[in-house]
Amino acid sequence: MTTVLKLGGSVVTRKEDPETVDADALAIAADAIAGALGDRSDGPDRLVVVHGGGSFGHHHADRHGVSATAGSHDAAALSEIHGAMGELNDAVLDAFHERGVNALPVRPLSVAYRADGTGDSGTDGATDGDDHSGTDSETARLHLPTASVEAMLAEGFVPVLHGDVVTHRGRGGTILSGDEIVVSLARSLDADRLGVCSTVPGVLDANGDVIERIDSLSSVAETLGASDATDVTGGMAGKVRALLAVPTPAHVFGLSDLEAFLAGRAPGTVVGGPE
Ligand code: IPE
């Protein structure tokens, strides 16, 4: 059983305070993960974690005018965004290690890139996750080789990736969101389950109630707005669109339901997957 889990940046950081980890929330997430891996009878045996940017990535990206589509050739600016994400990745890894979770960092900038259009299929072949569904970058093709992630899983490690800056051919560097990463990984690892742990208990309708199941974006487009705080990679509509593009059923839920998700239950909203 392979499970891909995204921890939203807004869950593990305080999104309004630059570069501030939400230590309590991170502890809850790390406890849930440690518990699930410790009890493999109903927990995932192969787990990949991807965390978002929250107050570490987005405000640097915003300040430098870099988004999923707006690129930059300023290496210092791109390194600053990447560096901030590295700090958050260290904090997540520390919390995991303190609880005995065998987690290792995987930094997307070093292995992934994007290219616009369909003419460039890249050079790294079948191990790529090709993502045509990410946020605003409809024509951008993501190349995210997963050989190292698979080797880590085979050795019993928990790879921990994060939203990052990636080289984008013809645009310099752009932002790769954690949502795009989990979608790509779910495909290339042929994952059984995909979880998106968010600050809300699921995808909400106009009345603020959790929508149980979403099978198409058109059915919910009107009710999905953008994120309130600075978010260069799009709000819930972008997430749902990306999640609908993979065959793996996706679950969107809040932090208090992470344990239930990891135990195999289906809290929050189920997006796509088999009927
Ligand atoms: C953004 O990742 C990464 C950067 C801004 C570098 P996400 O878009 O997945 O982050 P959250 O979960 O919305 O904070």
Side-chain angles (χ1 to χ4, degrees):
M1 162 90 76
T2 301
T3 301
V4 176
L5 171 69
K6 181 184 174 195
L7 294 175
S10 317
V11 177
V12 293
T13 75
R14 291 205 246 137
K15 206 158 180 177
E16 313 300 335
D17 301 327
E19 301 196 20
T20 310
V21 172
D22 186 332
D24 293 343
L26 180 55
I28 292 170
D31 282 343
I33 290 166
L37 293 173
D39 176 13
R40 291 184 184 219
S41 55
D42 59 355
D45 54 357
R46 288 160 44 101
L47 176 67
V48 182
V49 176
V50 180
H51 64 80
S55 66
F56 284 76
H58 288 290
H59 91 103
H60 286 293
D62 201 39
R63 197 159 51 82
H64 293 297
V66 183
S67 72
T69 49
S72 168
H73 284 88
D74 180 344
L78 299 175
S79 299
E80 197 179 299
I81 302 166
H82 178 67
M85 290 307 302
E87 283 175 35
L88 177 55
N89 192 245
D90 286 346
V92 172
L93 286 164
D94 284 349
F96 286 2
H97 294 160
E98 279 165 21
R99 291 160 178 84
V101 176
N102 248 351
L104 286 175
V106 177
R107 311 217 50 201
L109 173 61
S110 304
V111 293
Y113 72 97
R114 270 207 271 244
D116 285 334
T118 52
D120 181 351
S121 59
T123 54
D124 38 9
T127 55
D128 288 354
D130 287 346
D131 173 14
H132 302 275
S133 59
T135 57
D136 320 327
S137 44
E138 283 91 4
T139 60
R141 178 180 283 235
L142 170 65
H143 300 262
L144 177 59
T146 52
S148 63
V149 168
E150 298 203 50
M152 286 180 188
L153 288 170
E155 289 301 306
F157 294 116
V158 176
V160 182
L161 295 83
H162 55 82
D164 204 354
V165 165
V166 281
T167 308
H168 190 140
R169 289 215 188 136
R171 301 192 197 194
T174 53
I175 299 298
L176 173 65
S177 74
D179 298 325
E180 291 175 87
I181 296 172
V182 292
V183 161
S184 177
L185 289 177
R187 259 207 207 102
S188 45
L189 298 175
D190 196 17
D192 302 286
R193 307 186 80 220
L194 169 52
V196 177
C197 181
S198 171
T199 48
V200 284
V203 183
L204 306 180
D205 67 16
N207 298 322
D209 296 324
V210 173
I211 302 169
E212 250 176 54
R213 177 164 193 100
I214 298 175
D215 290 309
S216 72
L217 188 62
S218 57
S219 64
V220 290
E222 272 179 31
T223 60
L224 302 183
S227 167
D228 295 329
T230 302
D231 182 342
V232 291
T233 48
M236 192 57 91
K239 286 190 206 308
V240 170
R241 183 169 51 201
L243 296 175
L244 280 168
V246 274
T248 308
H251 301 260
V252 180
F253 50 84
L255 182 57
S256 59
D257 280 326
L258 177 55
E259 199 180 329
F261 168 74
L262 291 172
R265 296 198 285 278
T269 304
V270 182
V271 182
E275 291 298 307

